[in-house]
Amino acid sequence: MHIFGLFITGYQVAFVAVAGLTVLAAVGVVLVPNILRAALCLGVMLMGVAGLYALMNAPFLAVVQVMIYVGAITTMIILAVFLSNRVMKIGFFQAVYNPLLAAAAAGVMFLFLLVTVANSVWVQGIVEKTPATKDVGVQSVATALLQPYVFPFELASVVLLAVLIGAVVIAKEDTADES
Amino acid sequence: MHIGHIILISPAIWMAFAAIVVLLLGVVAAKRPDKGLDHYFPTQYAAPLFTAIGLLLSGAVVWWSLMLAGVTSQAAINGEATSVSATGLFVTSGGHAQLTVDPFAAVISFIALAGTFIVMLISLEHFGEHQAHKAEYYTLLMFAAVAASLAAAASDLIAIYLLIEFLSMVSYILAAYAKTDRRSAEAGLKYFLYGAACSAIMLYGMSLLFGITGGNTSLSAIAAGFTIGGAASSGIGWVAIVFTLVGLGFKLALVPFHFWAPDTYEGAPTPVTAFLSVVSKAAGLAVIVRFLTVVATPGSAGTLAWYWILVVLTTLSMFYGNLVAIWQRNIKRMLAYSSIAQVGYIMVGVLTAMHVFTRSGILMGAPDASVRANISDKLLPWDIQGVLIYLLAYLFMNLGAFAVVIAVGNRLGSDSIDNYAGLMKRSPFYASALAVFLVSLAGIPPTAGFLGKFFIFGGAIKIGILGSPELVVLAAIGVVNSIISAYYYLNVVRLMFFTEGECKPSIVGSAAANVAITISLVLTLGLIVFAKPVSDLTAKAVYTSSPASVTTPAER
């Protein structure tokens, strides 16, 4: 369709809608004083990112994003807020220090990146085709994980084990006779 | 990936295995603290003992593979004939390596393992017999060693990011390990918050790098992407690199990213501080060397904007670290600031190495065998070698200094520099050992620190006079800073030897601390005696490394 003489595709409308929602929700995360509402905004923002992935022809990534970030991480944050509220008697409100300074810094950074990204040379797939033009289904993700990226894939499990041990050490309440 | 290449990362695999054994042993020992194993063997030594065995075995493998460096063989990988040096390439499909286990990586691995070994010894002294979560502490320490030694070989963005994060996350936990101590908790939290922010920026930079070079994570493919279309000199190219350097600069505590360092170093348990200041930095430097030598390959280093950013950061690090260290009254804080300056010296070597690589015109991942064959006849004691030699020297002198600080601090219950007055009378061994380490850190001959500075600044001047005056200036700044640093290092020596303090009780540390100090002392003094073999070894490491191919002097 044509708006103000510009040709706009449905894809572009969808992109602007999803991206706008994501940015709005992200601003909400920072500005909403109630921490629970901020966490909900975070959930919306992460859903928006999942939508962007879906628009960029990466359905698997979109599903994983929803499952891990929205399903697990946001839920964990909300649970942690509830628990610390109950146990530690910490209020539900987040403090925003120097909002103007932070906004200025973020704005300058945004403009800087926008200008640089717009004025740069982008090399198009030199060694292999770029992922966007290929079928990025579950099967190709699995092949990538178990063939070229098998080392990081296996290493991730060691990382998780180490972090798990560390989390227990830090969080465990020590009884007097142990320490 | 050829299954036989698993052997190349076997040191890391063994370490991870030993870590899990220690963890399980801790569970067994905790269940029946008075009976069972304790009847036959005091379990409080089980965790350190297994750590030592794991480290020594892995170190031996690394050493053995280093001895074989330069021997190449042809191997077919995924149908392609590839030249594999004995320590070889860990090649994944498409010829791009996740890990490049070359001699350069082997030397850094060796530094990481040796460093962790000394940290283990001083942990015994610091925590004493009854340490909370002992098995977990040593497990995490070993995991950190695994991460550091693998990071040295990482040559793919995903592997680099994962290994840097692995090392960081274990370091956060170790820094907050003494959790009943408020300052330790603060140290861990501060380190974590700064680390998370810097790592997010680094990840963003890496994603830009991935994008501008055509969608590849392998460093060799990124280097190839940079040669096409001028991506390296375009705006987004250097934004990507600068953002990536933020994460690496954080690990090194280079000046604008150093805010966490003093508080974390002071608050964390001292052995952890020693680990962070040496092993963690060695791993960060290894990654930065690999990264810079790749992205610097196209064009000249001097024309790249971010090269100049690094020159400025290096200068700032040297001055800031030294000038602030002068005013410190706490010896741990003093060593923390001085380590910021020490990294500055090493970065001079890294920047020199960048120049050598840009002049060589050899792309990473495409080593030219004939060029390397030419070089092996006439080794030059310069360039990236200086980085490795300095790291070796820094490993022993800094860990040695920390070992004395722990032994003395444990007996005095304070880390104040004033308490070192008259230490000579209370413990001649510790006083003279600390004097040697501090003299070495200041870079005064005949110590290892002097050898390292000689190679780094000498190399910088040698490359610099060929048309890069900024390297000569950096070397001059380095020398000036060494003189500044001599002031506060030697001030401690003066206090120990020439001022009156309390004469008793005399200070006697545990056997573990004494072993650590003796090893460090022998190597700090001995490195200059073994200058030739060390230089040859590191030269071998540099000139036979596949990504680190260097040109002949004539071609420069």
Side-chain angles (χ1 to χ4, degrees):
Chain A
M1 64 180 148
H2 288 267
I3 297 172
F4 303 122
L6 287 171
F7 182 72
I8 291 171
T9 60
Y11 181 87
Q12 282 167 336
V13 174
F15 178 82
V16 169
V18 175
L21 179 73
T22 311
V23 171
L24 269 183
V27 172
V29 176
V30 186
L31 291 184
V32 172
N34 186 317
I35 207 160
L36 265 185
R37 289 184 186 164
L40 285 176
C41 280
L42 185 69
V44 174
M45 192 275 274
L46 294 169
M47 285 292 276
V49 173
L52 288 177
Y53 288 150
L55 282 174
M56 284 187 278
N57 199 16
F60 178 72
L61 201 55
V63 172
V64 168
Q65 167 84 7
V66 172
M67 272 170 61
I68 294 176
Y69 284 93
V70 186
I73 292 186
T74 315
T75 317
M76 284 280 273
I77 291 173
I78 292 173
L79 267 178
V81 170
F82 271 128
L83 280 177
S84 56
N85 170 259
R86 179 75 63 81
V87 180
M88 317 274 290
K89 305 270 181 289
I90 296 172
F92 271 141
F93 294 92
Q94 60 171 340
V96 181
Y97 301 104
N98 290 330
L100 286 178
L101 198 68
V108 168
M109 200 68 215
F110 172 70
L111 281 178
F112 168 69
L113 283 174
L114 193 70
V115 171
T116 354
V117 168
N119 295 322
S120 285
V121 185
W122 295 79
V123 178
Q124 294 295 324
I126 41 150
V127 179
E128 288 167 50
K129 272 187 282 180
T130 47
T133 58
K134 279 197 292 189
D135 168 42
V136 196
V138 183
Q139 201 177 353
S140 53
V141 171
T143 314
L145 275 183
L146 288 177
Q147 277 178 357
Y149 296 107
V150 67
F151 169 72
F153 181 64
E154 291 297 325
L155 184 72
S157 59
V158 183
V159 178
L160 287 177
L161 174 69
V163 172
L164 205 65
I165 296 166
V168 172
V169 169
I170 297 286
K172 192 170 169 243
E173 201 172 1
D174 281 349
T175 44
D177 58 316
E178 255 185 325
S179 54
Chain B
M1 187 187 109
H2 193 271
I3 196 74
H5 292 162
I6 294 272
I7 197 153
L8 297 174
I9 54 165
S10 63
I13 295 175
W14 288 2
M15 281 299 294
F17 182 72
I20 291 163
V21 168
V22 167
L23 186 71
L24 293 178
L25 214 71
V27 176
V28 173
K31 238 181 199 155
R32 309 170 66 184
D34 307 321
K35 294 181 216 164
L37 273 178
D38 249 10
H39 187 67
Y40 307 100
F41 180 75
T43 41
Q44 79 233 21
Y45 293 120
L49 185 76
F50 271 82
T51 311
I53 292 174
L55 283 166
L56 288 175
L57 275 179
S58 317
V61 173
V62 173
W63 185 261
W64 170 74
S65 62
L66 204 54
M67 289 295 111
L68 291 176
V71 185
T72 52
S73 62
Q74 290 293 122
I77 296 158
N78 295 328
E80 294 172 45
T82 312
S83 167
V84 182
S85 60
T87 45
L89 280 161
F90 195 67
V91 179
T92 55
S93 74
H96 299 309
Q98 285 287 330
L99 293 177
T100 308
V101 189
D102 52 19
F104 171 73
V107 170
I108 300 274
S109 281
F110 191 75
I111 288 173
L113 294 172
T116 314
F117 184 75
I118 296 177
V119 168
M120 183 216 78
L121 286 176
I122 57 182
S123 301
L124 273 177
E125 156 75 27
H126 181 80
F127 292 109
E129 283 185 8
H130 303 289
Q131 179 188 359
H133 305 299
K134 186 172 216 156
E136 288 83 351
Y137 174 82
Y138 287 101
T139 304
L140 289 172
L141 202 59
M142 275 192 274
F143 276 134
V146 169
S149 69
L150 283 177
S155 55
D156 183 284
L157 288 185
I158 293 181
I160 287 177
Y161 180 73
L162 201 58
L163 285 163
I164 290 275
E165 275 307 278
F166 188 9
L167 186 56
S168 302
M169 284 194 277
V170 177
S171 306
Y172 306 148
I173 298 160
L174 286 175
Y177 181 77
K179 55 186 174 176
T180 44
D181 181 356
R182 279 186 84 87
R183 288 181 314 155
S184 174
E186 183 201 337
L189 190 65
K190 233 175 204 165
Y191 193 22
F192 170 69
L193 288 177
Y194 280 119
C198 285
S199 120
I201 294 174
M202 177 169 81
L203 199 55
Y204 187 61
M206 284 180 169
S207 73
L208 287 176
L209 214 51
F210 174 82
I212 51 168
T213 53
N216 265 290
T217 53
S218 165
L219 283 188
S220 50
I222 286 169
F226 264 142
T227 53
I228 303 171
S233 49
S234 79
I236 202 69
W238 73 263
V239 168
I241 291 161
V242 168
F243 277 18
T244 313
L245 288 179
V246 168
L248 300 176
F250 165 80
K251 279 244 79 63
L252 295 178
L254 273 180
V255 143
F257 321 113
H258 68 282
F259 292 106
W260 58 277
D263 290 335
T264 303
Y265 280 21
E266 192 188 354
T270 320
V272 176
T273 307
F275 181 88
L276 291 180
S277 75
V278 175
V279 180
S280 176
K281 281 188 180 174
L285 270 165
V287 173
I288 226 170
V289 166
R290 220 173 261 286
F291 187 78
L292 286 182
T293 48
V294 169
V295 292
T297 313
S300 154
T303 60
L304 300 172
W306 41 269
Y307 167 79
W308 291 99
I309 295 177
L310 272 180
V311 169
V312 172
L313 296 194
T314 304
T315 312
L316 285 178
S317 294
M318 287 193 279
F319 274 116
Y320 178 85
N322 281 324
L323 291 178
V324 179
I326 291 177
W327 309 105
Q328 301 308 314
R329 304 312 312 156
N330 179 308
I331 197 152
K332 276 170 80 179
R333 268 188 107 81
M334 186 193 93
L335 286 173
Y337 280 108
S338 95
S339 81
I340 294 175
Q342 299 281 346
V343 166
Y345 305 144
I346 302 178
M347 281 305 292
V348 175
V350 174
L351 291 173
T352 312
M354 269 179 63
H355 265 277
V356 178
F357 285 102
T358 50
R359 280 153 200 270
S360 74
I362 296 168
L363 223 56
M364 178 164 166
D368 189 335
S370 63
V371 173
R372 272 191 281 140
N374 245 338
I375 296 163
S376 54
D377 299 335
K378 32 193 164 181
L379 295 179
L380 291 172
W382 308 108
D383 315 333
I384 215 168
Q385 253 192 77
V387 175
L388 290 178
I389 290 175
Y390 200 94
L391 268 177
L392 267 175
Y394 180 66
L395 162 76
F396 295 116
M397 60 199 185
N398 212 39
L399 284 183
F402 270 112
V404 175
V405 166
I406 289 171
V408 173
N410 254 4
R411 302 298 175 289
L412 296 180
S414 151
D415 289 325
S416 169
I417 290 179
D418 299 330
N419 286 344
Y420 284 77
L423 188 70
M424 183 60 195
K425 291 221 175 73
R426 303 177 73 174
S427 170
F429 174 56
Y430 288 159
S432 20
L434 186 57
V436 170
F437 297 136
L438 292 176
V439 161
S440 179
L441 281 166
I444 298 168
T447 51
F450 168 72
L451 188 69
K453 277 185 183 159
F454 177 74
F455 273 93
I456 284 193
F457 297 148
I461 291 170
K462 184 167 172 292
I463 303 296
I465 51 173
L466 295 175
S468 318
E470 73 278 1
L471 285 180
V472 181
V473 172
L474 275 180
I477 291 174
V479 172
V480 168
N481 270 284
S482 302
I483 296 165
I484 300 176
S485 72
Y487 170 74
Y488 60 83
Y489 286 134
L490 296 185
N491 183 38
V492 178
V493 176
R494 179 187 65 85
L495 273 172
M496 289 192 300
F497 285 89
F498 303 114
T499 53
E500 292 297 319
E502 290 173 53
C503 292
K504 51 188 181 172
S506 60
I507 295 169
V508 182
S510 68
N514 290 343
V515 170
I517 293 169
T518 311
I519 294 175
S520 309
L521 194 60
V522 167
L523 287 164
T524 304
L525 289 172
L527 209 58
I528 207 141
V529 179
F530 299 116
K532 175 77 176 118
V534 167
S535 153
D536 284 353
L537 186 73
T538 45
K540 215 169 165 185
V542 171
Y543 293 115
T544 55
S545 292
S546 13
S549 327
V550 186
T551 175
T552 52
E555 285 175 34
R556 275 202 192 114

